[in-house]
Amino acid sequence: MTRSVYIAHTGGTIGMKKTANGYAPVRGYLDEVIRTMPEFAREDMPTVVVREFETLIDSSDMTPSEWWRIAQDIRDHYDQFDGFVILHGTDTMAYTASALSFMLEDLAKPVIVTGSQIPMCELRTDGRDNLISAVLLAANYDIPEVCLYFHDRLYRGNRSQKVDANGFHAFDSPNFPPLAEVGISIEVNRSLLLPGPNKPLRVQQLNPPMVGTMSLFPGINAGIIENFLKPPLQGLILQSYGSGNAPSKNAELLRVLQEANDRGVIVVNCTQCYRGLVDMNTYECGRVLMQHGVISGYDMTREAALTKLYYLFSLGLDTASIKQRMQQNLRGELTHPG
Ligand code: ASP
């Protein structure tokens, strides 16, 4: 039986055309390109339905409202298709993939976010390969996860990050191997995949709380963090040094963290390193953070930690439960130190 894939086009470079003001998304264009691509007329290609969002956006304009529209769209078409491809700008693609991984609870089918660095209207576009491979993976492989496909690699969505503003190898998954590699053959590493659910899909809307991210740097003034942590802030992703370290001799900094913790602000320690995980037990400079109420983000990306905070707050949980679940593995987004 012919497989079928639902393609939702949200915007981004892949469907952009040159305008007087630079590349911008153009309605109807990508739909037409896909309809006229000979690849999609082949018998071994799944049937695709393309739905363009009413307003196509550069992904820098992506917000949780658009995530909700995408999630609802998947839910509304869930039973009719074997898999889903979301065409999206690369700039915030990893945030969207992370957010959807939490919003789509008990997902049993592949949802693959992809896009391109060069638009489809250009000769050297990388969009063609990304689109075709993403569609084939979504149609033919039993991958019950939100993924990100780019440049021959399928990544777990909530492990992915944009790592190159210009190159074709624009994404990576620093703390988790690719789920699949696409070469002469398509190799899916099944041992890495999440187990399929035994419940029907449920979709959770995100009502973003007041949260933020901040990176430590030598010479940081405790007053900056104090201002940042002031009400109404509810949570902070603190990007610390190395395996989760902060200046332990800065008594003021520790005081403001403690006071924030006492007010119920959730401070999550993620490393500012590209790879590796937070273990606050390793150094005195990490342990003091733990002693002042900071919780571990382990090896979560900034994108995963932020969208997970959105998700847990949106479930209406109390502070203790949010802290507990932030440190649990919910969708394959974190690894505990072994
Ligand atoms: N600014 C574009 C976007 O994120 C970049 C891209 O799609 O590659 O929508």
Side-chain angles (χ1 to χ4, degrees):
M1 209 174 75
T2 315
R3 314 281 291 173
S4 59
V5 173
Y6 184 82
I7 303 177
H9 177 212
T10 67
T13 295
I14 192 162
M16 290 190 186
K17 280 177 96 173
K18 255 193 198 120
T19 70
N21 300 319
Y23 284 123
V26 175
R27 284 216 71 188
Y29 170 65
L30 200 69
D31 195 10
E32 186 197 318
V33 170
I34 293 174
R35 256 187 293 113
T36 52
M37 270 170 77
E39 293 87 344
F40 283 95
R42 290 175 56 112
E43 270 184 9
D44 46 359
M45 208 50 185
T47 308
V48 297
V49 168
V50 185
R51 177 176 168 240
E52 198 174 66
F53 276 38
E54 211 144 288
T55 313
L56 296 174
I57 56 169
D58 186 297
S59 76
S60 306
D61 286 318
M62 195 50 75
T63 69
S65 311
E66 278 79 32
W67 294 340
W68 180 230
R69 237 166 272 152
I70 299 170
Q72 284 176 295
D73 203 22
I74 293 170
R75 181 198 57 201
D76 294 347
H77 298 91
Y78 194 66
D79 294 334
Q80 294 112 273
F81 294 87
D82 296 298
F84 298 82
V85 170
I86 314 298
L87 299 178
H88 194 288
T90 57
D91 288 345
T92 62
M93 192 184 281
Y95 286 95
T96 297
S98 298
L100 289 175
S101 78
F102 297 111
M103 296 169 79
L104 301 171
E105 299 174 346
D106 294 306
L107 179 69
K109 297 183 179 186
V111 171
I112 303 180
V113 189
T114 194
S116 71
Q117 291 280 59
I118 301 184
M120 289 287 250
C121 65
E122 299 290 350
L123 180 64
R124 291 180 53 250
T125 182
D126 51 332
R128 203 183 136 278
D129 281 355
N130 286 344
L131 172 64
I132 290 172
S133 298
V135 166
L136 290 176
L137 282 158
N140 301 321
Y141 294 83
D142 190 13
I143 302 172
E145 305 203 18
V146 176
C147 310
L148 186 151
Y149 182 82
F150 221 86
H151 196 56
D152 302 342
R153 297 275 186 282
L154 184 74
Y155 303 107
R156 174 164 295 156
N158 57 33
R159 293 286 195 159
S160 63
Q161 288 195 297
K162 185 171 181 182
V163 295
D164 192 335
N166 311 112
F168 284 150
H169 190 147
F171 287 85
D172 202 358
S173 167
N175 287 320
F176 202 73
L179 299 179
E181 301 197 15
V182 175
I184 288 178
S185 57
I186 295 181
E187 303 289 346
V188 177
N189 191 341
R190 302 218 65 88
S191 67
L192 298 175
L193 301 182
L194 294 176
N198 48 18
K199 289 191 218 144
L201 176 80
R202 277 171 302 122
V203 182
Q204 173 64 47
Q205 185 167 13
L206 300 186
N207 304 306
M210 283 286 187
V211 297
T213 71
M214 179 179 255
S215 235
L216 291 179
F217 52 88
I220 190 167
N221 185 302
I224 297 177
I225 303 190
E226 186 166 29
N227 272 328
F228 204 92
L229 286 167
K230 275 191 181 143
L233 199 86
Q234 296 165 277
L236 173 71
I237 310 297
L238 183 67
Q239 294 192 278
S240 62
Y241 304 128
S243 59
N245 305 313
S248 65
K249 308 273 181 287
N250 189 333
E252 271 296 279
L253 179 115
L254 297 175
R255 175 187 64 78
V256 302
L257 287 174
Q258 183 66 57
E259 284 176 7
N261 180 63
D262 297 344
R263 287 197 304 275
V265 179
I266 296 169
V267 181
V268 186
N269 187 355
C270 287
T271 177
Q272 51 186 258
C273 288
Y274 168 66
R275 178 171 289 124
L277 88 169
V278 163
D279 184 353
M280 288 189 276
N281 280 311
T282 313
Y283 294 98
E284 187 190 348
C285 291
R287 206 166 282 205
V288 288
L289 287 180
M290 205 159 62
Q291 287 159 353
H292 290 79
V294 175
I295 61 168
S296 181
Y298 298 104
D299 59 351
M300 273 189 288
T301 60
R302 178 191 51 241
E303 292 85 342
L306 186 85
T307 54
K308 188 172 175 180
L309 259 190
Y310 280 8
Y311 170 69
L312 294 176
F313 270 101
S314 305
L315 294 180
L317 303 171
D318 59 30
T319 306
S321 309
I322 296 177
K323 280 185 160 185
Q324 190 197 19
R325 293 181 70 177
M326 261 322 268
Q327 297 178 96
Q328 282 172 358
N329 177 21
L330 303 183
R331 306 276 196 278
E333 75 284 2
L334 67 76
T335 326
H336 289 119

PDB file of all heavy atoms in Angstrom, residues 11-14 16 25 57-61 88-93 115-118 150 162 165, ligand 1:
ATOM      1  N   GLY A  11       7.557  27.970   6.841  1.00  0.00           N
ATOM      2  CA  GLY A  11       8.369  29.095   6.365  1.00  0.00           C
ATOM      3  C   GLY A  11       9.837  28.710   6.356  1.00  0.00           C
ATOM      4  O   GLY A  11      10.179  27.541   6.269  1.00  0.00           O
ATOM      5  N   GLY A  12      10.709  29.699   6.455  1.00  0.00           N
ATOM      6  CA  GLY A  12      12.151  29.438   6.450  1.00  0.00           C
ATOM      7  C   GLY A  12      12.738  29.495   5.055  1.00  0.00           C
ATOM      8  O   GLY A  12      12.010  29.555   4.048  1.00  0.00           O
ATOM      9  N   THR A  13      14.044  29.427   5.015  1.00  0.00           N
ATOM     10  CA  THR A  13      14.790  29.579   3.754  1.00  0.00           C
ATOM     11  C   THR A  13      14.326  28.634   2.663  1.00  0.00           C
ATOM     12  O   THR A  13      14.273  29.001   1.489  1.00  0.00           O
ATOM     13  CB  THR A  13      16.302  29.339   4.041  1.00  0.00           C
ATOM     14  OG1 THR A  13      16.742  30.378   4.905  1.00  0.00           O
ATOM     15  CG2 THR A  13      17.126  29.346   2.782  1.00  0.00           C
ATOM     16  N   ILE A  14      14.020  27.399   3.024  1.00  0.00           N
ATOM     17  CA  ILE A  14      13.707  26.381   2.020  1.00  0.00           C
ATOM     18  C   ILE A  14      12.676  26.858   0.988  1.00  0.00           C
ATOM     19  O   ILE A  14      12.799  26.587  -0.199  1.00  0.00           O
ATOM     20  CB  ILE A  14      13.298  25.033   2.684  1.00  0.00           C
ATOM     21  CG1 ILE A  14      13.265  23.914   1.650  1.00  0.00           C
ATOM     22  CG2 ILE A  14      11.984  25.158   3.468  1.00  0.00           C
ATOM     23  CD1 ILE A  14      13.293  22.515   2.240  1.00  0.00           C
ATOM     24  N   MET A  16      11.885  30.134   0.403  1.00  0.00           N
ATOM     25  CA  MET A  16      12.009  31.576   0.160  1.00  0.00           C
ATOM     26  C   MET A  16      12.406  31.867  -1.282  1.00  0.00           C
ATOM     27  O   MET A  16      12.968  31.023  -1.971  1.00  0.00           O
ATOM     28  CB  MET A  16      13.056  32.182   1.105  1.00  0.00           C
ATOM     29  CG  MET A  16      12.623  32.224   2.560  1.00  0.00           C
ATOM     30  SD  MET A  16      13.769  33.195   3.563  1.00  0.00           S
ATOM     31  CE  MET A  16      13.107  32.910   5.204  1.00  0.00           C
ATOM     32  N   PRO A  25       9.863  34.416   2.573  1.00  0.00           N
ATOM     33  CA  PRO A  25       8.948  33.332   2.187  1.00  0.00           C
ATOM     34  C   PRO A  25       7.877  33.841   1.230  1.00  0.00           C
ATOM     35  O   PRO A  25       7.388  34.962   1.380  1.00  0.00           O
ATOM     36  CB  PRO A  25       8.304  32.915   3.521  1.00  0.00           C
ATOM     37  CG  PRO A  25       9.025  33.631   4.603  1.00  0.00           C
ATOM     38  CD  PRO A  25       9.722  34.795   3.987  1.00  0.00           C
ATOM     39  N   ILE A  57       6.710  32.191   7.903  1.00  0.00           N
ATOM     40  CA  ILE A  57       7.598  33.068   8.666  1.00  0.00           C
ATOM     41  C   ILE A  57       9.061  32.659   8.571  1.00  0.00           C
ATOM     42  O   ILE A  57       9.382  31.505   8.327  1.00  0.00           O
ATOM     43  CB  ILE A  57       7.197  33.119  10.175  1.00  0.00           C
ATOM     44  CG1 ILE A  57       7.171  31.711  10.785  1.00  0.00           C
ATOM     45  CG2 ILE A  57       5.895  33.837  10.358  1.00  0.00           C
ATOM     46  CD1 ILE A  57       7.044  31.711  12.292  1.00  0.00           C
ATOM     47  N   ASP A  58       9.912  33.641   8.766  1.00  0.00           N
ATOM     48  CA  ASP A  58      11.311  33.356   9.056  1.00  0.00           C
ATOM     49  C   ASP A  58      11.288  32.792  10.478  1.00  0.00           C
ATOM     50  O   ASP A  58      10.566  33.301  11.348  1.00  0.00           O
ATOM     51  CB  ASP A  58      12.093  34.672   9.012  1.00  0.00           C
ATOM     52  CG  ASP A  58      13.586  34.455   9.164  1.00  0.00           C
ATOM     53  OD1 ASP A  58      14.017  33.954  10.224  1.00  0.00           O
ATOM     54  OD2 ASP A  58      14.325  34.814   8.244  1.00  0.00           O
ATOM     55  N   SER A  59      12.040  31.738  10.728  1.00  0.00           N
ATOM     56  CA  SER A  59      11.878  31.063  12.017  1.00  0.00           C
ATOM     57  C   SER A  59      12.342  31.905  13.205  1.00  0.00           C
ATOM     58  O   SER A  59      12.101  31.549  14.352  1.00  0.00           O
ATOM     59  CB  SER A  59      12.562  29.701  12.021  1.00  0.00           C
ATOM     60  OG  SER A  59      13.950  29.836  12.144  1.00  0.00           O
ATOM     61  N   SER A  60      12.997  33.040  12.935  1.00  0.00           N
ATOM     62  CA  SER A  60      13.327  33.949  14.040  1.00  0.00           C
ATOM     63  C   SER A  60      12.045  34.495  14.658  1.00  0.00           C
ATOM     64  O   SER A  60      12.053  34.964  15.801  1.00  0.00           O
ATOM     65  CB  SER A  60      14.175  35.114  13.537  1.00  0.00           C
ATOM     66  OG  SER A  60      15.295  34.613  12.862  1.00  0.00           O
ATOM     67  N   ASP A  61      10.945  34.466  13.913  1.00  0.00           N
ATOM     68  CA  ASP A  61       9.660  34.945  14.442  1.00  0.00           C
ATOM     69  C   ASP A  61       8.837  33.817  15.068  1.00  0.00           C
ATOM     70  O   ASP A  61       7.665  34.031  15.410  1.00  0.00           O
ATOM     71  CB  ASP A  61       8.839  35.596  13.314  1.00  0.00           C
ATOM     72  CG  ASP A  61       9.394  36.952  12.932  1.00  0.00           C
ATOM     73  OD1 ASP A  61       9.758  37.716  13.848  1.00  0.00           O
ATOM     74  OD2 ASP A  61       9.488  37.244  11.725  1.00  0.00           O
ATOM     75  N   HIS A  88      10.735  24.169   7.974  1.00  0.00           N
ATOM     76  CA  HIS A  88      10.942  25.176   9.018  1.00  0.00           C
ATOM     77  C   HIS A  88      12.268  25.882   8.758  1.00  0.00           C
ATOM     78  O   HIS A  88      13.207  25.283   8.231  1.00  0.00           O
ATOM     79  CB  HIS A  88      11.017  24.396  10.342  1.00  0.00           C
ATOM     80  CG  HIS A  88      10.901  25.204  11.593  1.00  0.00           C
ATOM     81  ND1 HIS A  88      11.893  26.029  12.043  1.00  0.00           N
ATOM     82  CD2 HIS A  88       9.913  25.275  12.509  1.00  0.00           C
ATOM     83  CE1 HIS A  88      11.518  26.587  13.183  1.00  0.00           C
ATOM     84  NE2 HIS A  88      10.314  26.153  13.496  1.00  0.00           N
ATOM     85  N   GLY A  89      12.388  27.124   9.158  1.00  0.00           N
ATOM     86  CA  GLY A  89      13.677  27.818   9.078  1.00  0.00           C
ATOM     87  C   GLY A  89      14.678  27.177  10.020  1.00  0.00           C
ATOM     88  O   GLY A  89      14.298  26.561  11.023  1.00  0.00           O
ATOM     89  N   THR A  90      15.947  27.312   9.687  1.00  0.00           N
ATOM     90  CA  THR A  90      16.958  26.622  10.499  1.00  0.00           C
ATOM     91  C   THR A  90      17.273  27.338  11.812  1.00  0.00           C
ATOM     92  O   THR A  90      17.714  26.710  12.762  1.00  0.00           O
ATOM     93  CB  THR A  90      18.274  26.460   9.703  1.00  0.00           C
ATOM     94  OG1 THR A  90      18.724  27.749   9.292  1.00  0.00           O
ATOM     95  CG2 THR A  90      18.087  25.571   8.496  1.00  0.00           C
ATOM     96  N   ASP A  91      17.036  28.663  11.843  1.00  0.00           N
ATOM     97  CA  ASP A  91      17.515  29.422  13.007  1.00  0.00           C
ATOM     98  C   ASP A  91      16.941  28.920  14.335  1.00  0.00           C
ATOM     99  O   ASP A  91      17.660  28.839  15.325  1.00  0.00           O
ATOM    100  CB  ASP A  91      17.180  30.922  12.840  1.00  0.00           C
ATOM    101  CG  ASP A  91      18.058  31.564  11.768  1.00  0.00           C
ATOM    102  OD1 ASP A  91      19.072  30.952  11.373  1.00  0.00           O
ATOM    103  OD2 ASP A  91      17.733  32.682  11.328  1.00  0.00           O
ATOM    104  N   THR A  92      15.672  28.633  14.375  1.00  0.00           N
ATOM    105  CA  THR A  92      15.079  28.173  15.646  1.00  0.00           C
ATOM    106  C   THR A  92      14.532  26.746  15.518  1.00  0.00           C
ATOM    107  O   THR A  92      13.707  26.314  16.325  1.00  0.00           O
ATOM    108  CB  THR A  92      13.941  29.123  16.117  1.00  0.00           C
ATOM    109  OG1 THR A  92      12.904  29.112  15.133  1.00  0.00           O
ATOM    110  CG2 THR A  92      14.450  30.529  16.336  1.00  0.00           C
ATOM    111  N   MET A  93      15.027  26.029  14.516  1.00  0.00           N
ATOM    112  CA  MET A  93      14.522  24.672  14.261  1.00  0.00           C
ATOM    113  C   MET A  93      14.718  23.753  15.467  1.00  0.00           C
ATOM    114  O   MET A  93      13.842  22.945  15.809  1.00  0.00           O
ATOM    115  CB  MET A  93      15.255  24.101  13.043  1.00  0.00           C
ATOM    116  CG  MET A  93      14.640  22.839  12.506  1.00  0.00           C
ATOM    117  SD  MET A  93      15.615  22.177  11.157  1.00  0.00           S
ATOM    118  CE  MET A  93      15.124  23.196   9.797  1.00  0.00           C
ATOM    119  N   GLY A 115      14.647  21.659   6.796  1.00  0.00           N
ATOM    120  CA  GLY A 115      14.653  22.933   6.065  1.00  0.00           C
ATOM    121  C   GLY A 115      15.903  22.962   5.212  1.00  0.00           C
ATOM    122  O   GLY A 115      16.397  21.900   4.810  1.00  0.00           O
ATOM    123  N   SER A 116      16.436  24.143   4.966  1.00  0.00           N
ATOM    124  CA  SER A 116      17.669  24.194   4.169  1.00  0.00           C
ATOM    125  C   SER A 116      18.432  25.478   4.421  1.00  0.00           C
ATOM    126  O   SER A 116      17.888  26.444   4.962  1.00  0.00           O
ATOM    127  CB  SER A 116      17.336  24.061   2.679  1.00  0.00           C
ATOM    128  OG  SER A 116      16.706  25.234   2.216  1.00  0.00           O
ATOM    129  N   GLN A 117      19.683  25.452   4.010  1.00  0.00           N
ATOM    130  CA  GLN A 117      20.528  26.644   4.120  1.00  0.00           C
ATOM    131  C   GLN A 117      20.414  27.497   2.854  1.00  0.00           C
ATOM    132  O   GLN A 117      20.597  28.700   2.900  1.00  0.00           O
ATOM    133  CB  GLN A 117      22.002  26.235   4.307  1.00  0.00           C
ATOM    134  CG  GLN A 117      22.318  25.596   5.651  1.00  0.00           C
ATOM    135  CD  GLN A 117      22.474  26.628   6.757  1.00  0.00           C
ATOM    136  OE1 GLN A 117      21.545  27.379   7.027  1.00  0.00           O
ATOM    137  NE2 GLN A 117      23.615  26.647   7.407  1.00  0.00           N
ATOM    138  N   ILE A 118      20.157  26.828   1.722  1.00  0.00           N
ATOM    139  CA  ILE A 118      19.985  27.543   0.442  1.00  0.00           C
ATOM    140  C   ILE A 118      18.563  27.245  -0.046  1.00  0.00           C
ATOM    141  O   ILE A 118      18.134  26.085  -0.032  1.00  0.00           O
ATOM    142  CB  ILE A 118      21.019  27.075  -0.624  1.00  0.00           C
ATOM    143  CG1 ILE A 118      22.453  27.316  -0.118  1.00  0.00           C
ATOM    144  CG2 ILE A 118      20.799  27.778  -1.949  1.00  0.00           C
ATOM    145  CD1 ILE A 118      23.553  26.965  -1.141  1.00  0.00           C
ATOM    146  N   PHE A 150      18.873  16.793   8.809  1.00  0.00           N
ATOM    147  CA  PHE A 150      19.675  17.772   8.085  1.00  0.00           C
ATOM    148  C   PHE A 150      20.961  17.139   7.611  1.00  0.00           C
ATOM    149  O   PHE A 150      21.662  16.468   8.377  1.00  0.00           O
ATOM    150  CB  PHE A 150      20.006  18.985   8.984  1.00  0.00           C
ATOM    151  CG  PHE A 150      19.907  20.294   8.250  1.00  0.00           C
ATOM    152  CD1 PHE A 150      18.697  20.963   8.138  1.00  0.00           C
ATOM    153  CD2 PHE A 150      21.027  20.847   7.648  1.00  0.00           C
ATOM    154  CE1 PHE A 150      18.598  22.151   7.445  1.00  0.00           C
ATOM    155  CE2 PHE A 150      20.937  22.040   6.944  1.00  0.00           C
ATOM    156  CZ  PHE A 150      19.726  22.700   6.852  1.00  0.00           C
ATOM    157  N   LYS A 162      21.639  23.986  16.310  1.00  0.00           N
ATOM    158  CA  LYS A 162      22.233  24.577  15.105  1.00  0.00           C
ATOM    159  C   LYS A 162      23.680  24.948  15.440  1.00  0.00           C
ATOM    160  O   LYS A 162      23.923  25.648  16.422  1.00  0.00           O
ATOM    161  CB  LYS A 162      21.447  25.815  14.656  1.00  0.00           C
ATOM    162  CG  LYS A 162      21.964  26.377  13.337  1.00  0.00           C
ATOM    163  CD  LYS A 162      21.087  27.458  12.737  1.00  0.00           C
ATOM    164  CE  LYS A 162      21.683  27.922  11.411  1.00  0.00           C
ATOM    165  NZ  LYS A 162      20.927  28.999  10.781  1.00  0.00           N
ATOM    166  N   ALA A 165      26.209  28.595  10.986  1.00  0.00           N
ATOM    167  CA  ALA A 165      25.289  29.558  10.373  1.00  0.00           C
ATOM    168  C   ALA A 165      25.329  29.494   8.848  1.00  0.00           C
ATOM    169  O   ALA A 165      24.381  29.933   8.182  1.00  0.00           O
ATOM    170  CB  ALA A 165      25.639  30.975  10.837  1.00  0.00           C
TER     171      ALA A 165
HETATM  172  N1  ASP B   1      16.462  32.920   8.833  1.00  0.00           N
HETATM  173  C1  ASP B   1      16.064  31.667   8.248  1.00  0.00           C
HETATM  174  C2  ASP B   1      15.021  31.034   9.166  1.00  0.00           C
HETATM  175  O1  ASP B   1      15.373  30.525  10.179  1.00  0.00           O
HETATM  176  C3  ASP B   1      17.235  30.765   8.097  1.00  0.00           C
HETATM  177  C4  ASP B   1      16.939  29.425   7.483  1.00  0.00           C
HETATM  178  O2  ASP B   1      15.842  28.997   7.262  1.00  0.00           O
HETATM  179  O3  ASP B   1      17.923  28.731   7.158  1.00  0.00           O
HETATM  180  O4  ASP B   1      13.853  31.077   8.852  1.00  0.00           O
END
